[in-house]
Amino acid sequence: VRTARRGGCMRIVSLSPVVPYEGIPHAGGQYVLRHLRALRDLGHRVTVVSFDGPENRAAAEALDGLADVVLVPADPPDSGIARRLIGVLERQEQRLWPVRPAVRLRRALRRSAAARTALATAEIVEYQWSESGWYGLRRRPTGARRHVVVAHDVVLQNYERFLAAAGTGWHPRVLLARWRRASVRRDERRIYRHADAVLSFSAKDATLVRPAAGAPASAAGARPTPPA
C-alpha cells in the first residue's frame, strides 16, 4: 500500500484493473490518469485499488503523491501444471461470461484486508470500466454513500457486432455468439441497474447506457480532462 499524504474533501476509492501511469498505451488508462489528477486538484483523496503485478507495482511508484494505491495479491499457483490449468479455465470463463472478472480475482479482492478497509471507509466507490462493476454486485461495500460505474465502453455494443458478424443458423460459432451476447446483456444490465450513477466519456455512450440498463438509469457523458 502506497499512501499520498494530503487532505481532501471526500474519500474516493477507484476500483480499476490497471494503475494508470504517464504514457500508458491505451485511451482508457489515459482517461483514468487525467481523472485522478482532476480529483486531486479538486482536493479529494483517492485510493486506487487494483491487482498486484510488475506493471501495476511500477505504476504505483510513479503515482506516488497523486493517489493512494492498494495492490491486491492475486498470483496463480506456483505449480506450472496448476498455473496452466487456471489459465485454461479463466479463458473459458472469459469466453462464456465476458463481463465478469475471473473468479480468482474476485476471491482475492474479498480476502484482501487492505482493500476491504479502503472500500469500507470510502464515501464514493467508482468502478473503472463496466466489468469492474461486477465486484460490487454480490458484496457491495456498505460504507460508501454512492457507487459510480465509469463505462469506458458499453460492452453490449461490441457483442451485438460480433453476433451480426457471426451470421445465422446453428453453427457452433453462431451459438457461441448468441450465448455471449445474452450473457453480456444480462450482466451489464445488472451492473448499471445496481449503480447509483453511470459515467461515460461520450454523449453517444451515455445514450447507449439507458437501453443497456433496460430501465431508466442515471447516465452522464463527461469530456475527459485534456492533457496538460
Side-chain angles (χ1 to χ4, degrees), residues 137-159:
L137 283 180
R138 297 294 179 86
R139 297 174 184 268
R140 179 168 174 159
T142 56
R145 292 199 299 260
R146 291 180 65 80
H147 294 252
V148 179
V149 172
V150 183
H152 293 248
D153 192 18
V154 178
V155 184
L156 180 61
Q157 63 180 331
N158 297 324
Y159 287 87

Side-chain angles (χ1 to χ4, degrees), residues 121-200:
T121 57
E123 296 171 81
I124 294 177
V125 176
E126 58 177 32
Y127 303 89
Q128 293 291 340
W129 284 271
S130 300
E131 295 88 338
S132 294
W134 189 263
Y135 293 117
L137 283 180
R138 297 294 179 86
R139 297 174 184 268
R140 179 168 174 159
T142 56
R145 292 199 299 260
R146 291 180 65 80
H147 294 252
V148 179
V149 172
V150 183
H152 293 248
D153 192 18
V154 178
V155 184
L156 180 61
Q157 63 180 331
N158 297 324
Y159 287 87
E160 295 275 13
R161 288 195 292 265
F162 295 159
L163 178 58
T168 59
W170 300 99
H171 189 279
R173 179 186 67 252
V174 178
L175 296 178
L176 178 60
R178 288 176 184 163
W179 168 273
R180 298 180 82 189
R181 176 190 175 276
S183 171
V184 168
R185 182 178 183 180
R186 178 187 63 247
D187 290 347
E188 192 168 32
R189 176 176 294 180
R190 290 179 64 188
I191 289 168
Y192 291 160
R193 284 183 172 183
H194 198 70
D196 295 307
V198 181
L199 177 67
S200 69

Side-chain angles (χ1 to χ4, degrees), residues 13 22 25 42 63-64 67 129 170 186 203:
V13 167
E22 195 69 51
L42 289 170
L63 213 58
D64 192 27
W129 284 271
W170 300 99
R186 178 187 63 247

